[in-house]
Amino acid sequence: MTGKYNGNNGSIHMEEYSARKSTCGFSQEEIKSIRERFLKCTYSADIYDVMDKMGYPNQCLDHRIAPLKDNWKVCGPAVTLLGTREPITEQEMHPEPEYDKFWMFDYFYDGCVIVINAEKEDKCGSWGEMMSYGARNAGATGVVIDGGTRDKAGILAIDNWSCFARYSSPVESDKRWRPKDIEIPIFMSGTLTDRVLVRPGDWIFGDCDAVMVIPKEIVLDVLTAVEDVSEREELSRMAFNEGKSIREVYRLYNRA
């Protein structure tokens, strides 16, 4: 199922909404547990090391996509959003009152991360403070934008939320950029490659170093391996604080 407009009002039927809740492949309880385990133990660098060894070296998004606050993290299954720079408004395409301009919020669910390909838009903000509040209250935990946001000061004040973007701007997106489709495979700018594929339900982990895309088929394998790395790194830190040399620490934990 894609997010193209359903009928004249741009919203989805409730039976489709209920089905949408399970397309990431995990129950709400499982999503919560996986998120908590990732956020408790790991950094993006550990995830990169694990995935590199598994044969997935190109899952790191462009370094310029960064959190608005260094200590923010984001983790969860992706709800993907594709935008367009067409210079018309949503209302011009679907005149009020028939058009529901909040149609995309019906696709958000508990624990998800909104991932936006803004299609090279580099002037206006494709996201903002009020959208952040609305998305958070619909269950999303954060947004990752290959593009910009606005209202940075307001977003920084939102509890239980995180925003990763290329830049912030005061410029309104209306008549400059609009969301076009949702829950389809999209491509985000990469670090080692020009683009990284993000599919609905792929897992996103971001911190102050990078945003990683974890294919949904291997997320549990990655998590298990990352937890092992994290445990050995914590033991390494303790050994360093006891005065051991780097050679001793590496010999003990193969991590230094």
Side-chain angles (χ1 to χ4, degrees):
M1 182 180 70
T2 71
K4 290 183 178 179
Y5 305 111
N6 181 7
N8 293 324
N9 65 2
S11 61
I12 55 176
H13 293 306
M14 286 310 297
E15 59 267 24
E16 292 177 337
Y17 175 60
S18 298
R20 167 71 199 90
K21 289 280 191 174
S22 61
T23 58
C24 69
F26 296 99
S27 69
Q28 290 300 309
E29 292 76 16
E30 289 170 329
I31 292 172
K32 180 180 179 181
S33 174
I34 293 169
R35 287 190 66 252
E36 288 176 348
R37 288 168 64 188
F38 268 122
L39 291 170
K40 177 182 178 181
C41 75
T42 196
Y43 304 103
S44 60
D46 292 341
I47 293 175
Y48 183 87
D49 289 350
V50 165
M51 295 182 68
D52 194 20
K53 291 178 181 178
M54 293 174 66
Y56 295 85
N58 299 319
Q59 299 302 114
C60 182
L61 297 190
D62 191 322
H63 292 319
R64 288 167 288 190
I65 302 173
L68 300 190
K69 185 186 295 185
D70 270 354
N71 65 352
W72 275 357
K73 289 185 175 183
V74 69
C75 181
V79 170
T80 59
L81 183 65
L82 178 65
T84 177
R85 297 170 71 183
E86 292 176 353
I88 59 176
T89 67
E90 298 267 14
Q91 288 76 13
E92 286 171 330
M93 292 184 62
H94 303 273
E96 298 280 11
E98 295 178 344
Y99 175 66
D100 176 7
K101 64 182 179 181
F102 302 118
W103 60 273
M104 74 178 75
F105 289 81
D106 291 338
Y107 287 83
F108 304 155
Y109 55 91
D110 289 350
C112 75
V113 176
I114 304 152
V115 183
I116 302 175
N117 175 352
E119 284 290 274
K120 303 299 183 182
E121 172 57 47
D122 62 359
K123 302 295 189 298
C124 69
S126 302
W127 195 259
E129 179 188 4
M130 297 300 111
M131 294 183 73
S132 294
Y133 275 115
R136 184 200 64 178
N137 288 2
T141 63
V143 60
V144 175
I145 312 163
D146 195 350
T149 187
R150 49 189 259 150
D151 309 324
K152 179 177 178 178
I155 292 174
L156 289 171
I158 300 175
D159 293 330
N160 302 313
W161 183 253
S162 57
C163 177
F164 288 62
R166 287 181 172 275
Y167 62 88
S168 59
S169 167
V171 180
E172 168 65 58
S173 63
D174 193 43
K175 295 187 179 180
R176 300 176 181 92
W177 183 93
R178 65 179 179 84
K180 181 180 180 180
D181 209 346
I182 196 167
E183 286 295 72
I184 60 169
I186 62 173
F187 287 93
M188 301 283 280
S189 301
T191 293
L192 296 182
T193 55
D194 287 340
R195 59 191 65 85
V196 177
L197 174 65
V198 183
R199 302 165 301 166
D202 283 344
W203 278 70
I204 304 298
F205 181 94
D207 61 15
C208 60
D209 284 335
V211 178
M212 300 297 301
V213 180
I214 308 170
K216 52 191 169 184
E217 296 86 357
I218 64 168
V219 65
L220 294 179
D221 292 334
V222 171
L223 176 57
T224 299
V226 163
E227 287 178 324
D228 174 67
V229 170
S230 177
E231 181 179 357
R232 287 187 285 117
E233 285 191 339
E234 185 57 31
L235 291 171
S236 295
R237 293 184 190 100
M238 293 170 62
F240 277 127
N241 287 329
E242 292 169 359
K244 288 184 171 60
S245 72
I246 193 166
R247 288 186 177 87
E248 290 177 296
V249 172
Y250 189 80
R251 187 171 59 251
L252 285 168
Y253 304 117
N254 196 32
R255 195 74 181 175

